[in-house]
Amino acid sequence: MPPRFKKVSLTIFQRFFRTETVGGLVLLAFGLAALAIANSPLAAAYEHLWETPLTLGIVQHELSLSLHEWINDGLMALFFLLVGLEIKRELLAGELSSARQAMLPIACAIGGMVVPAAIYLIFNFGGSGSHGWGIPMATDIAFALGALNLVVPRAPIGAKVLLTALAIVDDIGAVLVIAFFYSEAIVWSALGGAALTLLVLIGFNRIGVRRLWPYLLGGVVLWYFVHESGVHATIAGVVLAFTIPAHTRINAAEFSREARLVLDRFDRKETGDLQVLTSSGQQESLFALERASEGVAAPILRLEHALHNFSAFVVMPLFAFANAGVRIELSMQHAEIGLGILAGLIIGKPVGIVTGALVAVKTGIARLPQAVNWRSLLGYAFLSGIRFTMSLRVAMLAFADTALVDAAKRGSIVGSLLAGVAGAVILKIESHNAH
C-alpha cells in the first residue's frame, strides 16, 4: 500500500510541474510580445488600451477601474488565491508539513529574500528608489520551473520539489511584504467590513460547508472591502484560500468501498447495447460515483485544480502582456534602481540561498535532497533569481512615478535573463559531469 501512495503523489507533483513549465513558456511569450509592441509604432495604442475604463456595480455603488487595474487588482487576486491554496496544502500535507522537511526551503528562502533586499538597499539607500527594496525578493515559480525543465528535463525529483517549496515560501514572504509594507493608508470602516466577511467565511468552514460557491461569493465581497480599505486587493485571495476546507466527507478507504459497490451495480445494470443513455440504473450509478468522488476530494484540492490552468494560461499571460511593455532605451535615469535589482537577482539570490542552505545543513536541522549537491544547488539558486510577475507587482506598488517603475522593470528583465543563463550553464555542466 505505501508504494502505491507514493506513486500517486509523484504523479500529482509531475502534473503540477508540467502545468507550471508550460505556463512559464506561455508567460515568457506574452512578456516578449509586450516588449516588442512597446518598442514598436503600436506603443501609443498599447498604452491607451490599458487605460480603458470598466465599471461594475449598480447606481451609487459602482466600482470603476481601468482595464490595467482590473487585471492587476482583480484577476491577480485569483493568482494569489491559487498561491494561498498551494501554501495551505503544503503546510498541511506537503513539503512544509513537518519541521524537518520545511527547514531547508525555509532557510534557503529567508537567505534568498534578505540578501537581495540588502544588496538593493546598498545601491538605493536614502534615494528615490529606496522604497523598492522588496522588488528582488521573491521567486517566480512558473518561470523557474519552466527554465529548469528546458535546461535539465531529467532533474532529480528532489531538486524540483525543493525549488517548488522554496518558491512557495518565497511567495509567503512576498505576500507578507505586500500586506505590511506596500499597502496604502488604511480605511478602517472598509477593513472592518473585510474582517466581518472573513468571520462569515470562517463560520462556513466551521459548520462544515463544503460547496465552493458560498466561499467564492464571500470572496468577491472580501475582495471589494480589502480593495476599498487600502490594503492591496490581491491579499484577499490569500486570505480567502485559508478559509477553504481541507477536510473530506469520507476517507480514502470509504471511497474505495463505495466506488466498488457503485461500479458493480453499474455493471449489473448493463442493458446489452453498451449505451449508458438507455440504462437508468447506470445513470444513477454514475451520479452516485460523482457524489462519492466529491466526498473524498477536499474542497481545497477541487478549487486548486479548477484554478491552475486558468491562472497559468489566462491570468498570468494577461498580467505579463499588460505590464511587461517597457521601452528599451540606453537611459541612465534612475540607473541605481535597475542596478540594485540586477545585483540582487544575480548575486543576492544565489548567495542568499546557498548561504541559507549551508547554515541549515551544517547545523544539522536539514539535509540536501537526494542527487542534489552544492554545485547543482548553486544552479538552482541562480534559477530562483528569475523574477517577473512578483517583481512587476511590487514595483508598481512601490513607485508612483512611471520612470521609476520602468527602471525597475528593466532591472528585473535583465537580471532575470542573466540569472537564468547562469543557472542554465551551471546545471548543464553539472548534468554533463554526472553522466
Side-chain angles (χ1 to χ4, degrees):
M1 191 70 181
R4 184 179 178 185
F5 177 77
K6 184 176 182 181
K7 182 178 179 181
V8 171
S9 298
L10 186 61
T11 303
I12 291 172
F13 179 80
Q14 287 173 332
R15 190 182 306 123
F16 167 83
F17 181 76
R18 185 161 52 248
T19 301
E20 294 297 329
T21 298
V22 179
L25 297 177
V26 173
L27 189 61
L28 176 62
F30 274 77
L32 291 175
L35 272 175
I37 293 174
N39 291 276
S40 75
L42 297 174
Y46 170 84
E47 293 292 340
H48 182 69
L49 170 66
W50 305 120
E51 297 306 316
T52 305
L54 292 176
T55 302
L56 293 180
I58 57 178
V59 179
Q60 296 181 340
H61 291 87
E62 293 181 344
L63 181 61
S64 184
L65 301 173
S66 67
L67 180 58
H68 190 261
E69 290 171 323
W70 277 116
I71 291 172
N72 289 350
D73 294 351
L75 273 182
M76 281 299 285
L78 294 178
F79 167 73
F80 276 85
L81 171 58
L82 179 60
V83 168
L85 293 172
E86 291 172 349
I87 291 171
K88 182 174 181 178
R89 172 172 52 78
E90 290 294 319
L91 289 171
L92 292 175
E95 289 301 305
L96 306 178
S97 60
S98 72
R100 182 71 174 176
Q101 288 177 301
M103 285 314 300
L104 184 61
I106 288 176
C108 290
I110 291 174
M113 290 187 287
V114 172
V115 177
I119 289 178
Y120 177 88
L121 284 174
I122 291 173
F123 285 84
N124 291 275
F125 189 76
S128 59
S130 60
H131 194 49
W133 55 268
I135 298 173
M137 287 177 63
T139 297
D140 194 310
I141 187 172
F143 268 140
L145 291 178
L148 178 61
N149 193 55
L150 286 175
V151 175
V152 191
R154 297 184 180 180
I157 189 69
K160 297 175 181 180
V161 172
L162 172 62
L163 190 58
T164 303
L166 190 160
I168 288 172
V169 177
D170 264 3
D171 282 342
I172 296 174
V175 167
L176 293 175
V177 166
I178 291 172
F180 288 106
F181 299 102
Y182 292 106
S183 292
E184 301 169 6
I186 302 299
V187 178
W188 292 103
S189 58
L191 193 62
L196 182 61
T197 306
L198 177 60
L199 288 176
V200 172
L201 291 168
I202 293 173
F204 288 161
N205 187 307
R206 298 295 293 175
I207 64 176
V209 175
R210 298 186 73 258
R211 296 280 184 181
L212 286 172
W213 69 263
Y215 295 96
L216 297 179
L217 185 61
V220 173
V221 177
L222 178 67
W223 177 89
Y224 173 78
F225 279 125
V226 172
H227 180 273
E228 296 298 296
S229 74
V231 176
H232 198 266
T234 51
I235 299 300
V238 179
V239 174
L240 173 62
F242 278 81
T243 69
I244 305 297
H247 56 272
T248 61
R249 180 174 56 81
I250 58 176
N251 61 33
E254 291 170 327
F255 169 76
S256 183
R257 286 195 301 271
E258 188 172 336
R260 282 179 171 80
L261 290 173
V262 170
L263 288 174
D264 287 342
R265 188 163 63 248
F266 179 90
D267 291 337
R268 290 197 303 271
K269 296 296 182 177
E270 172 58 49
T271 57
D273 59 2
L274 302 180
Q275 297 292 323
V276 175
L277 192 63
T278 63
S279 174
S280 59
Q282 286 188 328
Q283 295 167 26
E284 292 174 3
S285 297
L286 283 178
F287 293 134
L289 187 61
E290 183 180 359
R291 288 192 297 272
S293 299
E294 183 180 323
V296 77
I300 185 175
L301 291 179
R302 299 206 310 270
L303 183 56
E304 187 178 339
H305 180 74
L307 285 175
H308 227 121
N309 285 343
F310 184 73
S311 175
F313 301 117
V314 178
V315 176
M316 301 309 296
L318 269 177
F319 176 80
F321 191 63
N323 294 286
V326 57
R327 183 171 293 277
I328 300 174
E329 52 189 19
L330 297 177
S331 172
M332 295 304 292
Q333 186 181 23
H334 306 299
E336 69 281 359
I337 294 176
L339 289 173
I341 296 171
L342 182 68
L345 295 181
I346 64 174
I347 298 174
K349 269 291 181 185
V351 169
I353 288 172
V354 173
T355 300
L358 190 63
V359 171
V361 171
K362 293 301 182 183
T363 57
I365 61 175
R367 65 171 181 263
L368 292 181
Q370 187 176 5
V372 174
N373 58 36
W374 291 105
R375 289 188 301 274
S376 61
L377 178 65
L378 180 62
Y380 302 130
F382 269 108
L383 290 186
S384 296
I386 300 176
R387 278 194 48 102
F388 191 75
T389 50
M390 282 293 193
S391 64
L392 296 184
R393 176 74 273 172
V394 176
M396 288 181 290
L397 294 175
F399 304 131
D401 189 333
T402 302
L404 299 181
V405 174
D406 285 347
K409 287 181 179 180
R410 286 192 289 269
S412 295
I413 292 169
V414 175
S416 295
L417 178 62
L418 292 178
V421 170
V425 170
I426 292 171
L427 290 175
K428 274 296 186 183
I429 293 174
E430 184 62 25
S431 176
H432 182 267
N433 292 339
H435 292 88

